[in-house]
mmCIF file of all heavy atoms in Angstrom:
data_model
loop_
_atom_site.group_PDB
_atom_site.id
_atom_site.type_symbol
_atom_site.label_atom_id
_atom_site.label_comp_id
_atom_site.label_asym_id
_atom_site.label_seq_id
_atom_site.Cartn_x
_atom_site.Cartn_y
_atom_site.Cartn_z
ATOM 1 N N LEU E 1 -48.646 -5.176 -139.790
ATOM 2 C CA LEU E 1 -49.871 -4.972 -139.022
ATOM 3 C C LEU E 1 -49.837 -5.774 -137.717
ATOM 4 O O LEU E 1 -50.180 -5.262 -136.655
ATOM 5 C CB LEU E 1 -51.091 -5.368 -139.853
ATOM 6 C CG LEU E 1 -52.446 -5.235 -139.161
ATOM 7 C CD1 LEU E 1 -52.713 -3.766 -138.853
ATOM 8 C CD2 LEU E 1 -53.525 -5.816 -140.027
ATOM 9 N N GLY E 2 -49.406 -7.018 -137.814
ATOM 10 C CA GLY E 2 -49.306 -7.846 -136.609
ATOM 11 C C GLY E 2 -48.300 -7.311 -135.613
ATOM 12 O O GLY E 2 -48.512 -7.370 -134.400
ATOM 13 N N SER E 3 -47.191 -6.769 -136.104
ATOM 14 C CA SER E 3 -46.197 -6.166 -135.212
ATOM 15 C C SER E 3 -46.751 -4.919 -134.537
ATOM 16 O O SER E 3 -46.519 -4.701 -133.348
ATOM 17 C CB SER E 3 -44.931 -5.791 -135.986
ATOM 18 O OG SER E 3 -44.264 -6.937 -136.410
ATOM 19 N N ALA E 4 -47.480 -4.104 -135.292
ATOM 20 C CA ALA E 4 -48.046 -2.876 -134.734
ATOM 21 C C ALA E 4 -49.088 -3.180 -133.656
ATOM 22 O O ALA E 4 -49.217 -2.439 -132.685
ATOM 23 C CB ALA E 4 -48.670 -2.032 -135.838
ATOM 24 N N LEU E 5 -49.802 -4.275 -133.825
ATOM 25 C CA LEU E 5 -50.820 -4.646 -132.851
ATOM 26 C C LEU E 5 -50.261 -5.497 -131.708
ATOM 27 O O LEU E 5 -51.011 -5.880 -130.809
ATOM 28 C CB LEU E 5 -51.971 -5.384 -133.546
ATOM 29 C CG LEU E 5 -52.740 -4.555 -134.569
ATOM 30 C CD1 LEU E 5 -53.775 -5.407 -135.270
ATOM 31 C CD2 LEU E 5 -53.386 -3.351 -133.914
ATOM 32 N N GLY E 6 -48.964 -5.825 -131.777
ATOM 33 C CA GLY E 6 -48.318 -6.570 -130.700
ATOM 34 C C GLY E 6 -48.688 -8.036 -130.647
ATOM 35 O O GLY E 6 -48.804 -8.612 -129.568
ATOM 36 N N TRP E 7 -48.872 -8.657 -131.792
ATOM 37 C CA TRP E 7 -49.282 -10.052 -131.833
ATOM 38 C C TRP E 7 -48.133 -11.044 -131.723
ATOM 39 O O TRP E 7 -48.331 -12.234 -131.840
ATOM 40 C CB TRP E 7 -50.071 -10.341 -133.098
ATOM 41 C CG TRP E 7 -51.433 -9.723 -133.082
ATOM 42 C CD1 TRP E 7 -52.095 -9.219 -132.013
ATOM 43 C CD2 TRP E 7 -52.291 -9.553 -134.194
ATOM 44 N NE1 TRP E 7 -53.309 -8.743 -132.389
ATOM 45 C CE2 TRP E 7 -53.470 -8.932 -133.738
ATOM 46 C CE3 TRP E 7 -52.185 -9.859 -135.542
ATOM 47 C CZ2 TRP E 7 -54.526 -8.624 -134.565
ATOM 48 C CZ3 TRP E 7 -53.235 -9.542 -136.372
ATOM 49 C CH2 TRP E 7 -54.395 -8.938 -135.881
ATOM 50 N N GLY E 8 -46.911 -10.600 -131.555
ATOM 51 C CA GLY E 8 -45.820 -11.523 -131.262
ATOM 52 C C GLY E 8 -44.764 -11.648 -132.334
ATOM 53 O O GLY E 8 -44.782 -11.010 -133.373
ATOM 54 N N ARG E 9 -43.815 -12.528 -132.019
ATOM 55 C CA ARG E 9 -42.622 -12.720 -132.817
ATOM 56 C C ARG E 9 -42.884 -13.185 -134.262
ATOM 57 O O ARG E 9 -42.210 -12.716 -135.180
ATOM 58 C CB ARG E 9 -41.695 -13.698 -132.095
ATOM 59 C CG ARG E 9 -40.392 -13.928 -132.803
ATOM 60 C CD ARG E 9 -39.481 -14.817 -131.977
ATOM 61 N NE ARG E 9 -38.312 -15.195 -132.702
ATOM 62 C CZ ARG E 9 -37.230 -14.479 -132.798
ATOM 63 N NH1 ARG E 9 -37.166 -13.313 -132.221
ATOM 64 N NH2 ARG E 9 -36.191 -14.912 -133.481
ATOM 65 N N PRO E 10 -43.796 -14.117 -134.518
ATOM 66 C CA PRO E 10 -43.991 -14.538 -135.920
ATOM 67 C C PRO E 10 -44.347 -13.384 -136.841
ATOM 68 O O PRO E 10 -43.918 -13.349 -137.992
ATOM 69 C CB PRO E 10 -45.143 -15.546 -135.839
ATOM 70 C CG PRO E 10 -45.109 -16.052 -134.447
ATOM 71 C CD PRO E 10 -44.634 -14.913 -133.607
ATOM 72 N N PHE E 11 -45.093 -12.418 -136.343
ATOM 73 C CA PHE E 11 -45.473 -11.284 -137.190
ATOM 74 C C PHE E 11 -44.292 -10.337 -137.403
ATOM 75 O O PHE E 11 -44.168 -9.727 -138.464
ATOM 76 C CB PHE E 11 -46.670 -10.560 -136.589
ATOM 77 C CG PHE E 11 -47.935 -11.360 -136.713
ATOM 78 C CD1 PHE E 11 -48.362 -12.160 -135.675
ATOM 79 C CD2 PHE E 11 -48.665 -11.337 -137.887
ATOM 80 C CE1 PHE E 11 -49.512 -12.912 -135.799
ATOM 81 C CE2 PHE E 11 -49.816 -12.083 -138.022
ATOM 82 C CZ PHE E 11 -50.232 -12.880 -136.964
ATOM 83 N N ARG E 12 -43.422 -10.209 -136.414
ATOM 84 C CA ARG E 12 -42.221 -9.386 -136.608
ATOM 85 C C ARG E 12 -41.315 -10.024 -137.658
ATOM 86 O O ARG E 12 -40.695 -9.328 -138.459
ATOM 87 C CB ARG E 12 -41.476 -9.228 -135.285
ATOM 88 C CG ARG E 12 -42.174 -8.309 -134.319
ATOM 89 C CD ARG E 12 -41.279 -7.903 -133.168
ATOM 90 N NE ARG E 12 -40.742 -9.030 -132.435
ATOM 91 C CZ ARG E 12 -41.282 -9.536 -131.324
ATOM 92 N NH1 ARG E 12 -42.387 -9.018 -130.830
ATOM 93 N NH2 ARG E 12 -40.730 -10.559 -130.710
ATOM 94 N N LEU E 13 -41.243 -11.352 -137.667
ATOM 95 C CA LEU E 13 -40.441 -12.041 -138.680
ATOM 96 C C LEU E 13 -41.059 -11.917 -140.070
ATOM 97 O O LEU E 13 -40.341 -11.769 -141.056
ATOM 98 C CB LEU E 13 -40.278 -13.514 -138.301
ATOM 99 C CG LEU E 13 -39.449 -13.788 -137.054
ATOM 100 C CD1 LEU E 13 -39.475 -15.269 -136.717
ATOM 101 C CD2 LEU E 13 -38.036 -13.304 -137.230
ATOM 102 N N MET E 14 -42.376 -11.959 -140.143
ATOM 103 C CA MET E 14 -43.038 -11.804 -141.443
ATOM 104 C C MET E 14 -42.807 -10.416 -142.025
ATOM 105 O O MET E 14 -42.749 -10.250 -143.242
ATOM 106 C CB MET E 14 -44.535 -12.073 -141.313
ATOM 107 C CG MET E 14 -44.879 -13.533 -141.137
ATOM 108 S SD MET E 14 -46.625 -13.812 -140.785
ATOM 109 C CE MET E 14 -47.386 -13.213 -142.268
ATOM 110 N N ALA E 15 -42.657 -9.417 -141.163
ATOM 111 C CA ALA E 15 -42.409 -8.059 -141.646
ATOM 112 C C ALA E 15 -41.034 -7.940 -142.298
ATOM 113 O O ALA E 15 -40.787 -7.015 -143.073
ATOM 114 C CB ALA E 15 -42.541 -7.066 -140.501
ATOM 115 N N GLN E 16 -40.127 -8.888 -142.013
ATOM 116 C CA GLN E 16 -38.783 -8.873 -142.593
ATOM 117 C C GLN E 16 -38.688 -9.704 -143.871
ATOM 118 O O GLN E 16 -37.604 -9.866 -144.424
ATOM 119 C CB GLN E 16 -37.767 -9.392 -141.570
ATOM 120 C CG GLN E 16 -37.741 -8.592 -140.289
ATOM 121 C CD GLN E 16 -37.467 -7.127 -140.517
ATOM 122 O OE1 GLN E 16 -36.609 -6.775 -141.309
ATOM 123 N NE2 GLN E 16 -38.208 -6.277 -139.836
ATOM 124 N N ALA E 17 -39.786 -10.237 -144.365
ATOM 125 C CA ALA E 17 -39.782 -11.107 -145.548
ATOM 126 C C ALA E 17 -39.136 -10.473 -146.778
ATOM 127 O O ALA E 17 -38.363 -11.141 -147.478
ATOM 128 C CB ALA E 17 -41.192 -11.583 -145.859
ATOM 129 N N PRO E 18 -39.398 -9.190 -147.099
ATOM 130 C CA PRO E 18 -38.739 -8.618 -148.283
ATOM 131 C C PRO E 18 -37.214 -8.568 -148.140
ATOM 132 O O PRO E 18 -36.506 -8.779 -149.120
ATOM 133 C CB PRO E 18 -39.324 -7.214 -148.380
ATOM 134 C CG PRO E 18 -40.623 -7.292 -147.685
ATOM 135 C CD PRO E 18 -40.418 -8.277 -146.577
ATOM 136 N N ARG E 19 -36.718 -8.314 -146.948
ATOM 137 C CA ARG E 19 -35.261 -8.313 -146.751
ATOM 138 C C ARG E 19 -34.675 -9.700 -146.959
ATOM 139 O O ARG E 19 -33.627 -9.848 -147.587
ATOM 140 C CB ARG E 19 -34.924 -7.826 -145.347
ATOM 141 C CG ARG E 19 -35.155 -6.372 -145.167
ATOM 142 C CD ARG E 19 -34.730 -5.939 -143.803
ATOM 143 N NE ARG E 19 -35.036 -4.531 -143.637
ATOM 144 C CZ ARG E 19 -35.098 -3.935 -142.486
ATOM 145 N NH1 ARG E 19 -34.885 -4.595 -141.381
ATOM 146 N NH2 ARG E 19 -35.384 -2.651 -142.423
ATOM 147 N N LEU E 20 -35.335 -10.714 -146.421
ATOM 148 C CA LEU E 20 -34.850 -12.084 -146.617
ATOM 149 C C LEU E 20 -34.893 -12.478 -148.083
ATOM 150 O O LEU E 20 -34.012 -13.182 -148.566
ATOM 151 C CB LEU E 20 -35.677 -13.054 -145.774
ATOM 152 C CG LEU E 20 -35.544 -12.900 -144.273
ATOM 153 C CD1 LEU E 20 -36.532 -13.816 -143.565
ATOM 154 C CD2 LEU E 20 -34.131 -13.188 -143.830
ATOM 155 N N TRP E 21 -35.925 -12.024 -148.801
ATOM 156 C CA TRP E 21 -36.027 -12.341 -150.219
ATOM 157 C C TRP E 21 -34.870 -11.712 -150.988
ATOM 158 O O TRP E 21 -34.283 -12.342 -151.859
ATOM 159 C CB TRP E 21 -37.373 -11.846 -150.746
ATOM 160 C CG TRP E 21 -37.578 -12.101 -152.201
ATOM 161 C CD1 TRP E 21 -37.919 -13.285 -152.771
ATOM 162 C CD2 TRP E 21 -37.429 -11.165 -153.257
ATOM 163 N NE1 TRP E 21 -38.003 -13.129 -154.130
ATOM 164 C CE2 TRP E 21 -37.709 -11.838 -154.453
ATOM 165 C CE3 TRP E 21 -37.089 -9.823 -153.312
ATOM 166 C CZ2 TRP E 21 -37.655 -11.219 -155.682
ATOM 167 C CZ3 TRP E 21 -37.044 -9.209 -154.544
ATOM 168 C CH2 TRP E 21 -37.327 -9.903 -155.712
ATOM 169 N N LEU E 22 -34.517 -10.466 -150.660
ATOM 170 C CA LEU E 22 -33.405 -9.798 -151.346
ATOM 171 C C LEU E 22 -32.065 -10.435 -150.997
ATOM 172 O O LEU E 22 -31.189 -10.558 -151.857
ATOM 173 C CB LEU E 22 -33.389 -8.314 -150.996
ATOM 174 C CG LEU E 22 -34.488 -7.485 -151.646
ATOM 175 C CD1 LEU E 22 -34.483 -6.077 -151.086
ATOM 176 C CD2 LEU E 22 -34.321 -7.467 -153.149
ATOM 177 N N ILE E 23 -31.879 -10.819 -149.750
ATOM 178 C CA ILE E 23 -30.629 -11.459 -149.337
ATOM 179 C C ILE E 23 -30.469 -12.825 -150.006
ATOM 180 O O ILE E 23 -29.359 -13.234 -150.335
ATOM 181 C CB ILE E 23 -30.574 -11.588 -147.806
ATOM 182 C CG1 ILE E 23 -30.404 -10.209 -147.177
ATOM 183 C CG2 ILE E 23 -29.467 -12.509 -147.358
ATOM 184 C CD1 ILE E 23 -30.560 -10.201 -145.674
ATOM 185 N N SER E 24 -31.574 -13.519 -150.237
ATOM 186 C CA SER E 24 -31.496 -14.872 -150.783
ATOM 187 C C SER E 24 -30.982 -14.921 -152.217
ATOM 188 O O SER E 24 -30.652 -15.993 -152.713
ATOM 189 C CB SER E 24 -32.852 -15.564 -150.702
ATOM 190 O OG SER E 24 -33.773 -14.937 -151.551
ATOM 191 N N CYS E 25 -30.873 -13.788 -152.901
ATOM 192 C CA CYS E 25 -30.345 -13.818 -154.265
ATOM 193 C C CYS E 25 -28.838 -14.057 -154.275
ATOM 194 O O CYS E 25 -28.289 -14.458 -155.287
ATOM 195 C CB CYS E 25 -30.695 -12.538 -155.007
ATOM 196 S SG CYS E 25 -29.826 -11.086 -154.440
ATOM 197 N N CYS E 26 -28.148 -13.841 -153.171
ATOM 198 C CA CYS E 26 -26.685 -13.977 -153.115
ATOM 199 C C CYS E 26 -26.251 -15.222 -152.358
ATOM 200 O O CYS E 26 -25.350 -15.158 -151.530
ATOM 201 C CB CYS E 26 -26.078 -12.737 -152.465
ATOM 202 S SG CYS E 26 -26.373 -11.256 -153.406
ATOM 203 N N LEU E 27 -26.859 -16.346 -152.633
ATOM 204 C CA LEU E 27 -26.527 -17.580 -151.933
ATOM 205 C C LEU E 27 -25.527 -18.445 -152.693
ATOM 206 O O LEU E 27 -25.358 -19.607 -152.363
ATOM 207 C CB LEU E 27 -27.799 -18.397 -151.672
ATOM 208 C CG LEU E 27 -28.783 -17.794 -150.680
ATOM 209 C CD1 LEU E 27 -30.022 -18.658 -150.601
ATOM 210 C CD2 LEU E 27 -28.149 -17.648 -149.327
ATOM 211 N N GLY E 28 -24.868 -17.913 -153.712
ATOM 212 C CA GLY E 28 -23.926 -18.700 -154.504
ATOM 213 C C GLY E 28 -22.819 -19.291 -153.653
ATOM 214 O O GLY E 28 -22.205 -18.607 -152.849
#
């Protein structure tokens, strides 16, 4: 929602949270 409304970089990073969560399972 923040990215769609143009509220800046922190909201674009928050939209990527599920990807970061999935990547974090392979930190062995």
Side-chain angles (χ1 to χ4, degrees):
L1 179 65
S3 292
L5 296 175
W7 289 345
R9 183 175 172 84
F11 288 95
R12 287 194 304 265
L13 293 175
M14 286 173 63
Q16 302 303 317
R19 288 183 183 162
L20 294 174
W21 179 78
L22 287 173
I23 290 171
S24 67
C25 70
C26 297
L27 292 176

